[in-house]
Amino acid sequence: MLSKKTQYALKALTYMAERKKDGPVLIAEISKKKKIPLKFLENILLELKKAGLLDSKKGKGGGYFFKVDPQEISLAQVMRLIEGPIALLPCVSLNFYQKCKDCDEKKCGLNKVMKQVRDNTLVILENKTVYDLLAK
């Protein structure tokens, strides 16, 4: 299940993508329109900025804007930044792998099924972008 933080990040990015041609978007505007708590949103956008997906401008006409085109930001990329692993088990994660202490992966049926779940999920999340979330 997606955390509220990831849901908010995707909602904020979608809102910004809808207004991309209008220039930088104020945090307060995103917060109000998408009903995201302001302080929570500030932290989320700062994380996305540190990751190089967004940038910001201070002063009149300022706000957050895309540093990377929303058509090039995959949902998997955003989820990993905010959530961490996409895989449901640490022993099947591609980027956050951890061996299970009580399991032999070669004989574990759960491991094999969760790898299939991971692979099928990634096919979708890596091929869908923030731009794909826009209501068209």
Side-chain angles (χ1 to χ4, degrees):
M1 188 177 326
L2 288 180
S3 68
K4 272 289 190 204
K5 187 175 182 182
T6 301
Q7 290 177 47
Y8 288 158
L10 292 170
K11 284 181 179 187
L13 290 171
T14 302
Y15 185 81
M16 290 176 62
E18 290 171 343
R19 281 147 192 75
K20 187 172 184 257
K21 293 178 183 162
D22 300 337
V25 182
L26 295 172
I27 295 176
E29 178 184 341
I30 300 168
S31 173
K32 183 179 178 185
K33 296 286 186 183
K34 290 300 184 181
K35 297 179 175 75
I36 303 171
L38 186 62
K39 284 291 182 192
F40 202 23
L41 181 59
E42 287 174 353
N43 291 329
I44 292 167
L45 296 181
L46 191 58
E47 278 186 57
L48 295 170
K49 181 180 177 180
K50 285 179 183 175
L53 300 180
L54 300 178
D55 207 345
S56 63
K57 178 180 171 189
K58 293 184 182 203
K60 186 175 174 150
Y64 276 89
F65 57 93
F66 285 99
K67 192 171 181 178
V68 175
D69 192 300
Q71 292 182 351
E72 303 203 6
I73 302 172
S74 75
L75 300 184
Q77 186 177 11
V78 176
M79 287 176 66
R80 282 186 181 117
L81 280 170
I82 303 297
E83 227 29 71
I86 291 172
L88 297 176
L89 291 174
C91 63
V92 298
S93 180
L94 295 174
N95 296 315
F96 300 91
Y97 174 84
Q98 287 183 349
K99 182 168 177 36
C100 293
K101 295 174 185 163
D102 59 348
C103 178
D104 178 359
E105 292 173 18
K106 293 184 185 349
K107 296 179 183 176
C108 180
L110 184 58
N111 177 280
K112 288 173 183 40
V113 171
M114 288 299 118
K115 279 184 181 177
Q116 290 176 322
V117 170
R118 176 206 64 203
D119 292 345
N120 286 298
T121 301
L122 284 176
V123 166
I124 296 167
L125 295 176
E126 288 180 342
N127 289 295
K128 294 294 180 184
T129 68
V130 169
Y131 184 78
D132 292 317
L133 298 178
L134 298 178
K136 298 173 191 168

